[in-house]
């Protein structure tokens, strides 16, 4: 099994450097994962907000980690392609435990936030870099070089970073996280094209972008040099909106 996971981890990493933008329509269960994989996408990513909401809990590590990992495991078992898991801030796990839990469910990548869900705001950048380095080391020891997508949360209002400083702080954190062993930097919430272009130019590694109404579309993100695009809970919420419309039609 370790050999198969290593193949998937290597493939997922290659997709970040293939010259073609990696598009990840985030999923929340086995059925949505199968739809994405069968459509031809080369990898599958989970969305923590969608899974926690599906399970009846708030986002931001509001759901028990065992339930989150169980749901992600069902996703990984359902598809033949590499799976990367939105592991939020890591649920307080020690690096080796986090790596072991990911590999146990068949995941070969993870998102890790630099938000402190207990105290609020961002965690210390140096401490986050040390944690990422320890996770990288634990993954190497396990024989599966999991792909770490390090989230930089400076563009979120709860970060406490002023609008004027967000890009500069994101660049500093992104560089630090890459040096620590992260594979990709995810400045969640950034939507201004000039900010995205600066991040792509000044952070020496793949950048994960988002599409959202009113923001850059896939073509523009590709033009700006974004390497990876994820959708978070957007598709899950669109599916629920369609369900809501359908059931209301039954009452008319």
């Amino acid at each position: 099994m370790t050999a198969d996971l290593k193949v998937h981890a290597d493939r997922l990493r290659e997709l970040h450097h293939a010259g073609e933008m990696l598009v990840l329509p985030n999923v929340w269960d086995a059925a949505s994962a199968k739809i994405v994989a069968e459509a031809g996408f080369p990898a599958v990513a989970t969305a923590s907000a969608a899974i926690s909401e599906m399970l009846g809990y708030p986002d931001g590590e509001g759901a028990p980690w065992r339930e989150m990992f169980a749901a992600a495991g069902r996703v990984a078992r359902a598809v033949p392609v590499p799976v990367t898991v939105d592991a939020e801030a890591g649920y307080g796990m020690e690096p080796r435990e986090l790596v072991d839990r990911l590999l146990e469910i068949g995941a070969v990548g993870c998102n890790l936030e630099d938000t402190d869900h207990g105290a609020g705001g961002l965690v210390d950048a140096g401490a986050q870099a040390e944690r990422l380095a320890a996770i990288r080391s634990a993954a190497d020891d396990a024989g599966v070089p999991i792909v770490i997508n390090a989230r930089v949360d400076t563009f979120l209002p709860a970060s406490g970073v002023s609008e004027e400083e967000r890009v500069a702080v994101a660049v500093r954190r992104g560089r630090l996280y890459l040096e620590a062993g992260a594979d990709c930097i995810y400045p969640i919430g950034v939507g201004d094209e000039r900010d995205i272009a600066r991040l792509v130019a000044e952070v020496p590694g793949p950048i994960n972008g988002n599409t959202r109404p009113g923001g850059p579309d896939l073509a523009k993100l590709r033009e700006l040099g974004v390497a990876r695009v994820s959708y978070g809970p957007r598709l899950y919420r669109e599916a629920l909106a369609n369900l809501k419309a359908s059931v209301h039609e039954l009452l008319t």
Side-chain angles (χ1 to χ4, degrees):
M1 181 177 179
T2 297
D4 293 339
L5 290 174
K6 185 179 185 304
V7 170
H8 272 188
D10 289 339
R11 175 58 180 153
L12 182 59
R13 180 170 288 100
E14 289 170 2
L15 290 169
H16 288 73
H17 302 275
E20 178 60 32
M21 189 167 66
L22 174 60
V23 179
L24 297 169
N26 297 75
V27 306
W28 54 93
D29 62 8
S32 57
K34 286 181 179 179
I35 288 171
V36 169
E38 289 172 0
F41 289 90
V44 166
T46 68
S48 66
I51 291 179
S52 58
E53 188 173 323
M54 176 190 71
L55 294 171
Y57 299 96
D59 190 24
E61 300 198 343
W65 71 263
R66 292 184 186 277
E67 293 192 42
M68 296 293 286
F69 273 69
R74 289 190 287 273
V75 166
R77 290 192 297 273
V79 296
V81 298
V83 171
T84 179
V85 169
D86 185 347
E88 303 190 80
Y91 307 102
M93 294 181 186
E94 292 299 319
R96 185 55 196 255
E97 181 186 6
L98 177 61
V99 169
D100 287 346
R101 297 294 184 186
L102 289 167
L103 297 181
E104 282 173 5
I105 64 171
V108 295
C110 65
N111 280 15
L112 287 172
E113 307 165 359
D114 61 358
T115 288
D116 185 331
H117 291 291
L122 301 177
V123 300
D124 176 78
Q128 181 71 354
E130 290 179 3
R131 177 166 171 76
L132 292 172
I135 292 168
R136 168 59 59 220
S137 178
D140 291 343
D141 289 345
V144 180
I146 64 172
V147 176
I148 302 172
N149 191 34
R151 234 178 67 173
V152 176
D153 291 354
T154 59
F155 291 90
L156 300 182
S159 72
V161 179
S162 69
E163 189 171 342
E164 296 75 20
E165 295 179 316
R166 286 175 179 172
V167 178
V169 174
V171 167
R172 288 198 298 272
R173 284 180 174 252
R175 290 175 174 172
L176 193 61
Y177 298 166
L178 287 172
E179 290 172 2
D183 297 284
C184 184
I185 301 302
Y186 182 12
I188 188 171
V190 61
D192 184 88
E193 293 179 14
R194 291 168 299 179
D195 292 344
I196 296 170
R198 182 176 167 190
L199 287 161
V200 170
E202 298 185 20
V203 177
I207 295 294
N208 188 143
N210 291 119
T211 63
R212 58 183 179 181
D217 59 14
L218 285 177
K220 175 55 69 172
L221 291 173
R222 185 177 291 109
E223 179 185 322
L224 291 169
V226 168
R228 165 175 167 162
V229 176
S230 50
Y231 284 72
R234 177 175 162 186
L235 299 178
Y236 165 75
R237 288 173 181 160
E238 288 179 1
L240 286 189
N242 289 335
L243 174 61
K244 183 177 181 179
S246 295
V247 296
H248 276 277
E249 284 183 9
L250 300 177
L251 298 174
T252 60

